[in-house]
Amino acid sequence: MAINVYLIFDGQTREAMELYKDAFQTKETQIMTFGEGHQNDEYPIPEEAKDLIMHARMPVMGVDLMFSDTFPGHPYTVGNNVTLAVVTNDEAQLRHAFDVLKREGNVQMELQETFWSKCYGSLTDKFGVEWQFNYEQA
């Protein structure tokens, strides 16, 4: 199981990644835009969101940094733009950690299957720390 830092930007993810690529002499290993993500007719992607980064990953000094732009209309607050992302291929461990941290916390998305993961969810724990949980097959 790994815990990665997830950085959220207000439309500047590409610019931030270019800076970090230069600073740490690395390159991104994954970029997906909202437009490339799963299309759901009930929730169409607005034109202004299609080129924004839904998810990106970049190795920096032995750690994977993960990135995303906020979705248009969702709140963005500097200080709340860093989350911890639990990435594991142990679904039981992922579910246990999620269940413990959601006690007295606020669940944004219950654990569920998504188009990118068999089990994904997000919450803010009782101390205000934001977490994402993602099952990733080995």
Side-chain angles (χ1 to χ4, degrees), residues 8-10 34 43-46 49-50 52 68-75:
I8 313 296
F9 295 90
D10 193 19
F34 285 106
Y43 304 101
I45 304 293
K50 288 186 177 178
L52 294 176
S68 180
D69 283 312
T70 55
F71 196 76
H74 287 215

Side-chain angles (χ1 to χ4, degrees), residues 2 19 27 36-37 41 44 52 62 65-66 74 83 85 125 127 129:
L19 177 68
K27 62 181 182 168
E36 294 169 330
D41 292 337
L52 294 176
L65 291 184
M66 298 194 291
H74 287 215
T83 66
D125 69 22
F127 302 106
V129 177

Side-chain angles (χ1 to χ4, degrees), residues 40-110:
N40 182 333
D41 292 337
E42 292 180 37
Y43 304 101
I45 304 293
E47 277 304 313
E48 66 271 19
K50 288 186 177 178
D51 290 331
L52 294 176
I53 304 296
M54 179 178 157
H55 176 73
R57 187 182 298 219
M58 176 188 306
V60 173
M61 301 178 77
V63 173
D64 271 347
L65 291 184
M66 298 194 291
F67 303 84
S68 180
D69 283 312
T70 55
F71 196 76
H74 287 215
Y76 174 82
T77 305
V78 173
N80 291 344
N81 57 327
V82 177
T83 66
L84 298 177
V86 176
V87 181
T88 182
N89 63 357
D90 185 335
E91 187 176 347
Q93 187 177 28
L94 180 140
R95 289 184 179 280
H96 174 79
F98 187 91
D99 288 342
V100 169
L101 291 176
K102 77 179 187 180
R103 295 178 196 151
E104 299 181 57
N106 182 30
V107 174
Q108 284 83 38
M109 183 175 180
E110 281 290 346

Side-chain angles (χ1 to χ4, degrees), residues 10-30:
D10 193 19
Q12 299 113 343
T13 295
R14 289 180 197 277
E15 182 181 349
M17 289 181 72
E18 287 301 318
L19 177 68
Y20 302 149
K21 284 186 338 189
D22 184 31
F24 298 106
Q25 300 176 324
T26 189
K27 62 181 182 168
E28 73 276 353
T29 57
Q30 179 183 23

